[in-house]
Amino acid sequence: TTVFIEPVALALSRKANRPVKVVMTREEVFKASGPTSSTSIDIKVGVKKDGRIVAAEGVFRYQGGAFAGSPAEFGAMTSFACYDLENVRTIAYDVVTNRPKQAAYRAPGAPMAAFAVESVMEEIANKLGIAPIDFRIKNAAREGTKSSYGPTFGPIGLLATLETAKKHPHFTAPLGKNQGRGMACGFWFNFGGQTCTDINIGPDGSVTLTVGTVDVGGSRASLALCVAEELGVPYEQVKCLVADTGTLGHNDMTDGSRGTFSSSMAGIFAARNAVTVLRERAAKMWEIPVEDVKWEDGHAKAVGSKYGNLAPLSIKEIAAA
């Protein structure tokens, strides 16, 4: 998301046809890279005695350094997103100071806002005598909740995550000396952007998924899982490759939070398209209408009693033919 000295190293390496290492001086580091923002945040939450939150307000001040552009807006948008709130207001200030410019770190702006909000939520739960996890479960955003930053949520996993955590043995395991147990909720966005993937099915039934988003934390495994589930084949049957820009159509930059989100959607659409083609080819092999072919558990199956003598065709059998 932020380019420092890499293009210079690349250009010199191409010219010299040798590995090149470029080191920035301390002054250049301050000018080119930058730390994340420091913050000053005020949080105010109104809650009933039964633990139901009725109102929340946040004022967020983010230090941007010598140039405007701190992630203040993201802090304001993500701060209360985990909660189902009818009345909420957030105000964010991008504060310019005589310091190094800030740069993007993981979920820019969100961790500071989450720390402020979750600290207050913990205080409230303790004051009301409600277990912090139960307080959050009671107020958690869920499908159909209008988020604090505008859109209405579709299916989201916050409530399921909290309930699963509560049931986990680690949550009630005895604590040793100098040990503690805490919890917090957090939120970050995903966005699709322009994303291109390719699926190739080999004659042996192996599936190769080619993506243009860089793997920044195991996303290839996630993407292979999505495609395997959609095709109905074992995970081991799918291989995920990260291709260069000459292999696929355009892909927007990966960021940290776009890769799995966007490429899995593109991969799922590609897999569904592959299933359509596989059904068409099975219909051709059987010489029956494609409408009479369904895809289930990695096999094409003929629908209807009149096709009782037609054994299901696996993805490998169709690909081999």
Side-chain angles (χ1 to χ4, degrees), residues 11-262:
L12 290 173
S13 180
R14 280 181 169 171
K15 202 166 185 68
N17 198 30
R18 298 281 295 168
V20 170
K21 179 180 180 179
V22 180
V23 179
M24 291 189 282
T25 65
R26 199 59 170 151
E27 183 181 351
E28 288 168 339
V29 168
F30 280 125
K31 288 178 178 177
S33 55
T36 189
S37 291
S38 58
T39 58
S40 167
I41 300 173
D42 297 321
I43 300 296
K44 192 176 179 181
V45 177
V47 59
K48 291 183 175 179
K49 288 180 180 177
D50 65 357
R52 180 67 185 152
I53 298 172
V54 292
E57 182 181 56
V59 179
F60 304 85
R61 293 167 290 272
Y62 281 70
Q63 180 178 240
F67 306 96
S70 72
E73 182 180 8
F74 291 149
M77 294 171 76
T78 60
S79 54
F80 293 110
C82 291
Y83 297 99
D84 184 5
L85 304 172
E86 286 188 25
N87 306 291
V88 59
R89 180 171 69 171
T90 56
I91 303 168
Y93 296 95
D94 179 11
V95 184
V96 179
T97 59
N98 186 27
R99 291 190 181 185
K101 74 174 184 70
Q102 66 81 39
Y105 280 74
R106 302 295 296 138
M112 308 80 141
F115 177 77
V117 170
E118 293 302 292
S119 297
V120 173
M121 295 300 182
E122 199 79 2
E123 286 181 37
I124 293 170
N126 291 333
K127 192 164 186 176
L128 292 172
I130 301 173
I133 194 163
D134 291 330
F135 178 63
R136 288 171 172 87
I137 288 171
K138 188 181 187 75
N139 293 286
R142 58 202 75 200
E143 185 173 1
T145 296
K146 182 176 171 61
S147 70
S148 56
Y149 64 96
T152 298
F153 286 126
I156 56 172
L158 176 61
L159 195 60
T161 303
L162 288 168
E163 289 172 342
T164 303
K166 185 179 177 181
K167 294 173 188 172
H168 198 280
H170 288 176
F171 205 79
T172 52
L175 294 173
K177 188 179 179 182
N178 295 325
Q179 289 185 329
R181 182 183 291 117
M183 68 157 303
C185 300
F187 173 85
W188 187 243
F189 312 91
N190 295 120
F191 73 97
Q194 295 185 68
T195 310
C196 181
T197 63
D198 177 78
I199 285 181
N200 183 63
I201 299 172
D204 61 351
S206 62
V207 180
T208 303
L209 170 67
T210 307
V211 302
T213 46
V214 179
D215 189 335
V216 292
S219 60
R220 279 173 292 184
S222 302
L223 302 176
L225 280 167
C226 293
V227 168
E229 183 178 308
E230 200 67 36
L231 293 176
V233 299
Y235 165 70
E236 294 77 13
Q237 206 166 318
V238 181
K239 183 178 183 181
C240 184
L241 304 174
V242 176
D244 60 30
T245 52
T247 306
L248 293 168
H250 177 73
N251 279 274
D252 287 339
M253 66 179 179
T254 303
D255 285 315
S257 29
R258 198 186 80 84
T260 303
F261 178 72
S262 61

Side-chain angles (χ1 to χ4, degrees), residues 257-294:
S257 29
R258 198 186 80 84
T260 303
F261 178 72
S262 61
S263 285
S264 66
M265 290 174 67
I268 286 167
F269 293 144
R272 289 175 182 172
N273 184 55
V275 165
T276 299
V277 174
L278 288 162
R279 286 177 53 242
E280 289 170 349
R281 295 192 180 187
K284 194 173 183 180
M285 290 165 71
W286 282 327
E287 297 182 336
I288 66 173
V290 69
E291 295 79 24
D292 291 347
V293 180
K294 69 175 180 178

